[in-house]
Amino acid sequence: MTGNSYNGAMVYSKTRLGADQLSGGPRLSRRGKMIVFSLLGVVLAAAISLGIWSAVGSDQYGSSANGCVNFNIPNTMGGALIHYCGSQAVDYCRSAYASSDKLSLLGRPQCEQAGLTRAKVAAG
């Protein structure tokens, strides 16, 4: 044996690219391209619509206003959302102004924001 480490095994090596590799693979037909672009257009339109809706849409559980009381209270699982509208909000605010527990104290400022002041709920 000489200092050459060649063991006689043949190693396959592709030295030329085939015609399918040179052209970039299979191409879509005109109909296929129209389908792909149509699907992309629908997805893009849906994404834009969702973005616009989320930016300008009203949040029913946002801040207290227009006769609706919304606020979060501490709870065993992290927190709970309190949401009352209409007569339920009036009843809640009447109770909140009459009591001095923690839930009532948290709710009073939200009643004020909703326009349900102590005088308004006491009269009604």
Side-chain angles (χ1 to χ4, degrees):
M1 281 225 176
T2 62
N4 192 351
S5 63
Y6 177 71
N7 65 2
M10 300 245 344
V11 177
Y12 173 76
S13 173
K14 187 171 186 179
T15 57
R16 298 178 129 191
L17 294 175
D20 61 330
Q21 293 170 326
L22 287 175
S23 67
R27 294 185 181 260
L28 287 175
S29 66
R30 181 178 175 154
R31 181 173 181 250
K33 288 178 186 178
M34 290 301 292
I35 291 171
V36 168
F37 287 133
S38 297
L39 289 174
L40 288 175
V42 167
V43 169
L44 182 63
I48 290 171
S49 299
L50 181 63
I52 291 171
W53 174 77
S54 65
V56 299
S58 64
D59 182 11
Q60 156 181 351
Y61 297 112
S63 59
S64 298
N66 302 322
C68 289
V69 177
N70 300 311
F71 64 98
N72 290 314
I73 59 170
N75 199 346
T76 56
M77 295 301 289
L81 176 68
I82 302 296
H83 173 76
Y84 299 116
C85 281
S87 62
Q88 287 182 329
V90 171
D91 291 343
Y92 170 76
C93 290
R94 187 177 297 128
S95 168
Y97 288 125
S99 302
S100 60
D101 61 293
K102 187 174 182 175
L103 182 61
S104 297
L105 295 175
L106 287 171
R108 288 180 190 174
Q110 301 304 315
C111 290
E112 296 284 335
Q113 285 183 3
L116 301 172
T117 62
R118 185 184 299 263
K120 284 184 182 178
V121 297

